[in-house]
Amino acid sequence: MQEQMTDLSGDCARCFGLCCVALPFTASADFARDKPAGTPCPNLRDDHRCGIHAKLRVEGYTGCTVYDCFGAGQKVSQVTFGGRDWRTGPREDARRMFDVFPVVRQLHELLWYLTEALTLPAARPVHADLRRMLERTDALTRGTAEDLAALDVPAHRQKVNVLLLRTSELVRAGFGAANRKRNRRGADLMGARLKGADLRGATLRGAYLIAADLTGADLRGADLIGADLRDADLTDADLTGAFFLTQPQLNAARGGAGTRLPDSVTRPGHWTA
C-alpha cells in the first residue's frame, strides 16, 4: 500500500517550493506570521528548501508540519511546467504555476482516495468504475496549465464522490447493521468525550473531531474522509482498517506508540513514544 502511494506524497526535492509560495497563511496558532498567496515564505531558501524545517513547530509553523500536497508539487514543477523554475522563468509562468498548484493538489487528493479504494477487497463490485475514474483523474493532472486553470474541479469531485460513497457502503457493510448505520457525517464532535467509544464501521465523513478525546476508541472500518482531527487524542485508539484517512489528518492529531494505524499512513514523528 505504501509503495502504491509513493507518487501521491510530497517530494520536496523535485518541487520548487510551491506550497511555500503559492499558498497564503495567516498569523495564528498554526503560523507565526501572515503571508499572502504568491509571496515566498521568508524561511524559503534559494534552493527551494525550508531553512527551519527541523524546528518548524518550535518556530510557530505547526501548519507546515501537517500539510501534504499529495505529490502535486512535483507534478506541477516537473510535468506541467517541464522543470521550469518560477524564480528564473517569465513572471507570467510563475503566476500560472501558483494558480495551477491548488487545482492539481485537489486532483491528487482524489487520486489518493481512488487508489486506496482499489486496495479494498469489499469494494470489488466497483473496482472497474474506480479504475476508470482514477485513469480519468490522472489524465486531468497531466493537462496543460490552461486546461487545468479552466477545469471545473467541484464537478469532477462530485463524480468521484459518488464512487467513494459506494465504496464506503460496501466496506462498512462488513461491520454489522448497527454500526454500519451509525452516521456521524459532518457532525460537530469538537471536544467530544469519546474515550473507548465503539465506532466500528461508522461514517465520520467531514465530522469535526477537533480536540476530541478518542483515547482507546475502536475506529476499525470507519470512513474518515474529510474528518477534522486537529488535536484529537488518538492514544491507544484502533484505526486498523479505517479508510480514507490521509497523512495530513493524522499529522494534525495526537497519538502514541499504542495507536494502531492502517497501512496507508505512517506514525507521525512528533507523537509521544
Side-chain angles (χ1 to χ4, degrees):
M1 179 66 177
Q2 285 288 349
E3 186 175 345
Q4 291 174 295
M5 296 299 201
T6 299
D7 290 336
L8 297 176
S9 295
D11 183 350
C12 297
R14 294 194 289 144
C15 177
F16 297 135
L18 295 185
C19 64
C20 305
V21 186
L23 306 179
F25 52 71
T26 304
S28 62
D30 292 324
F31 296 102
R33 58 182 296 167
D34 293 332
K35 186 195 82 65
T39 300
C41 172
N43 300 309
L44 184 66
R45 303 186 316 209
D46 290 342
D47 63 356
H48 304 296
R49 307 308 289 269
C50 177
I52 60 169
H53 187 267
K55 51 181 180 177
L56 282 167
R57 289 179 175 271
V58 176
E59 295 288 340
Y61 288 87
T62 301
C64 297
T65 69
V66 302
Y67 178 81
D68 194 303
C69 70
F70 294 97
Q74 62 259 32
K75 175 68 72 64
V76 173
S77 298
Q78 304 301 330
V79 178
T80 313
F81 286 87
R84 297 195 301 278
D85 187 338
W86 57 267
R87 289 186 188 273
T88 57
R91 185 184 298 268
E92 180 60 22
D93 269 7
R95 186 191 63 77
R96 290 192 302 157
M97 188 178 291
F98 302 153
D99 289 344
V100 162
F101 172 64
V103 174
V104 178
R105 197 269 184 188
Q106 292 182 71
L107 294 174
H108 267 237
E109 183 178 6
L110 294 177
L111 287 176
W112 172 282
Y113 296 135
L114 290 165
T115 300
E116 182 179 1
L118 282 166
T119 70
L120 302 174
R124 190 167 288 111
V126 291
H127 274 188
D129 290 333
L130 287 165
R131 192 169 292 106
R132 282 190 290 270
M133 187 59 74
L134 185 146
E135 292 170 355
R136 170 59 179 156
T137 305
D138 181 64
L140 290 175
T141 71
R142 299 177 188 280
T144 66
E146 291 74 20
D147 291 338
L148 287 163
L151 181 65
D152 186 345
V153 178
H156 184 70
R157 181 181 290 275
Q158 180 57 37
K159 294 175 183 177
V160 174
N161 195 47
V162 170
L163 290 174
L164 298 183
L165 281 169
R166 180 57 182 149
T167 296
S168 179
E169 293 169 355
L170 290 167
V171 174
R172 292 184 299 107
F175 288 85
N179 286 348
R180 188 173 70 250
K181 293 178 180 177
R182 185 170 292 167
N183 188 345
R184 288 186 168 86
R185 184 175 182 179
D188 184 353
L189 298 170
M190 293 177 62
R193 298 177 180 177
L194 296 169
K195 183 176 182 178
D198 183 358
L199 295 167
R200 288 174 297 167
T203 176
L204 290 161
R205 291 178 146 245
Y208 295 94
L209 288 158
I210 302 170
D213 181 3
L214 288 161
T215 56
D218 192 342
L219 290 152
R220 286 177 291 173
D223 181 348
L224 292 168
I225 194 168
D228 193 335
L229 295 172
R230 283 177 292 170
D231 289 323
D233 192 346
L234 298 173
T235 301
D236 295 330
D238 189 351
L239 288 89
T240 307
F243 57 102
F244 298 151
L245 172 67
T246 65
Q247 195 65 47
Q249 285 174 291
L250 202 61
N251 290 347
R254 293 180 288 133
T259 307
R260 282 161 284 183
L261 301 173
D263 293 336
S264 57
V265 292
T266 58
R267 193 175 308 277
H270 64 275
W271 280 12
T272 55

